[in-house]
Amino acid sequence: MSDKPQKHEPQKRALREVARSALSFIKSNWKLKLVSLAVALIIWGGLISEDATLTREKTFTDVQVAITGTETLQRNGLVITRGLDLAPIRIKAEVPQRVYEGAAATNYSVRVDAGRISAPGEQKLPILTSASNIYGTVTWMSEEAITVYVEEYVTRRRVPVSLETFGSLRDGFYAAPPSVDPGNVVISGPRSLVERVAQVTAAYNQQSVDGEAGIVYSAVPFRLVTRDGEEISSDLVSVTSENVLLDTLLVEQRVYPTKSVPVNLTGVVRGEAAEGFAVVAVTADPAYLVVAGEQADIDGIRMLNLLSDIDVSDRRDTVIRALRVDKPNGVIHLSDNAVYVSVEIEPAPPLSGGNP
């Protein structure tokens, strides 16, 4: 018989004993083993995060493309009129492990540089990005370039301002004609728009004035209007005065208190009517006029005198004349400069009494 089984039996028993010892060690120290594994993972993670050569691809959506260099473009006499209404794009970047979670699309400065444009017309601008050792490099973009349309940027000076006034003050006040500041402006923008502007118009509603006496200032919006009355509205057109950008015009108006004063008809009739006729009534239309001025000036006005009279000598019928009104000192405004004076003449009634 062979003695091989008996020969290897001690080795097998030794291996089984080692296996039982190892299993017993693992079972008796499992908590220590888990802690050791966790520590190893933390150390491995720290080493990975500090290694700048290890990167991961990260995708960014809804990335806004910034526009730079527009001021440089204007200094060169050009302006973009179309093509800047950009939709968000998507990009992908290889981001170092250590900043992966904190990386944002703004770290890559996604932009187009308008300052590169040197001529009007249709232009294609590449979308640019910035790379860095900290946040890595953009490797893909859903759009690589944009198409824009460029015009000459021109300036017109001394464009006139027109003020349209409507509405009225509340009773008891009078407003002098308003003035607008500035009276002319400077307009800059694309040639196709600036050359069509004929004037700047502003609508001023006097009802917005609170009715207090004194100087009233109002900020009034304006419009750019062509010769045909068409409004030009564009963010590309700027309106300035003395290098100050304007969005409203300043309207100045002086407001005065008013007073109703009767017309003085004393002494307005001169001469005698024809024999057998007599003056029966003298009236003015209007009988009262409104005066406006400083309160101290109008307080002392009791009546308004006329600058001429009416001669009724030998008249047999009613006389109507327009007579100018004497404007008192201190009065800024009279509601009418003249009134119609009527002198009614009728046959005189027979004298009562006499011999039977």
Side-chain angles (χ1 to χ4, degrees):
M1 294 181 61
S2 174
D3 61 351
K4 287 183 180 180
Q6 290 80 5
K7 181 179 179 181
H8 295 289
E9 189 63 28
Q11 295 176 355
K12 292 180 179 180
R13 284 198 298 270
L15 289 174
R16 285 196 293 271
E17 185 64 29
V18 170
R20 281 195 297 270
S21 299
L23 181 61
S24 175
F25 177 78
I26 291 173
K27 288 181 178 180
S28 62
N29 296 279
W30 64 271
K31 292 182 180 180
L32 179 62
K33 306 306 184 293
L34 289 177
V35 172
S36 300
L37 179 60
V39 171
L41 290 174
I42 292 172
I43 294 173
W44 178 80
L47 293 174
I48 291 297
S49 65
E50 291 301 321
D51 190 346
T53 63
L54 296 177
T55 61
R56 289 171 58 191
E57 184 180 80
K58 188 170 184 177
T59 300
F60 303 92
T61 59
D62 295 329
V63 179
Q64 297 292 336
V65 180
I67 310 297
T68 65
T70 55
E71 293 183 357
T72 300
L73 185 65
Q74 285 190 7
R75 286 195 295 270
N76 293 334
L78 299 170
V79 62
I80 296 175
T81 58
R82 287 184 292 155
L84 292 183
D85 50 343
L86 307 179
I89 66 172
R90 292 178 295 118
I91 66 173
K92 293 180 180 180
E94 286 295 328
V95 184
Q97 284 283 126
R98 64 176 179 269
V99 295
Y100 186 85
E101 294 300 328
T106 53
N107 299 131
Y108 303 98
S109 185
V110 182
R111 67 198 185 279
V112 294
D113 184 5
R116 298 183 172 201
I117 300 173
S118 58
E122 182 178 306
Q123 304 289 338
K124 193 169 186 179
L125 296 177
I127 299 178
L128 308 174
T129 61
S130 296
S132 68
N133 293 330
I134 298 176
Y135 293 102
T137 305
V138 173
T139 57
W140 176 86
M141 294 184 293
S142 60
E143 299 288 342
E144 297 289 339
I146 66 170
T147 300
V148 296
Y149 299 86
V150 182
E151 283 190 33
E152 289 181 86
Y153 186 83
V154 299
T155 296
R156 284 182 56 202
R157 303 183 184 279
R158 301 190 65 80
V159 179
V161 174
S162 173
L163 184 65
E164 301 172 357
T165 303
F166 63 98
S168 57
L169 296 178
R170 64 184 177 90
D171 292 342
F173 291 91
Y174 164 79
S179 62
V180 62
D181 183 39
N184 53 71
V185 296
V186 177
I187 299 179
S188 302
R191 180 181 292 277
S192 62
L193 297 178
V194 170
E195 288 186 343
R196 296 176 59 205
V197 176
Q199 65 179 357
V200 178
T201 64
Y204 173 57
N205 185 359
Q206 293 186 123
Q207 290 181 339
S208 62
V209 178
D210 58 14
E212 294 297 327
I215 299 178
V216 177
Y217 296 97
S218 302
V220 179
F222 58 82
R223 300 182 306 141
L224 306 181
V225 182
T226 67
R227 288 181 176 84
D228 297 328
E230 178 187 353
E231 180 179 357
I232 295 177
S233 178
S234 174
D235 293 338
L236 299 176
V237 178
S238 64
V239 179
T240 60
S241 175
E242 297 181 356
N243 296 322
V244 176
L245 185 65
L246 303 177
D247 57 5
T248 58
L249 302 174
L250 183 65
V251 175
E252 178 181 332
Q253 190 172 38
R254 185 67 180 254
V255 177
Y256 298 93
T258 63
K259 178 181 179 180
S260 181
V261 181
V263 175
N264 183 14
L265 296 177
T266 302
V268 75
V269 176
R270 174 168 53 86
E272 297 288 340
E275 186 176 353
F277 290 82
V279 174
V280 296
V282 180
T283 58
D285 183 23
Y288 287 80
L289 296 182
V290 175
V291 299
E294 298 292 348
Q295 194 69 58
D297 292 327
I298 65 175
D299 280 345
I301 300 174
R302 298 291 180 262
M303 301 190 78
L304 294 172
N305 297 319
L306 300 175
L307 292 173
S308 58
D309 55 22
I310 299 175
D311 187 2
V312 297
S313 298
D314 297 326
R315 296 296 302 231
R316 289 178 170 83
D317 54 3
T318 297
V319 181
I320 301 176
R321 296 284 188 271
L323 302 183
R324 291 184 61 82
V325 179
D326 184 15
K327 185 178 179 181
N329 292 332
V331 170
I332 302 299
H333 168 75
L334 267 176
S335 57
D336 284 296
N337 293 323
V339 296
Y340 287 95
V341 176
S342 297
V343 181
E344 296 183 32
I345 300 175
E346 295 181 357
L351 295 174
S352 60
N355 296 323

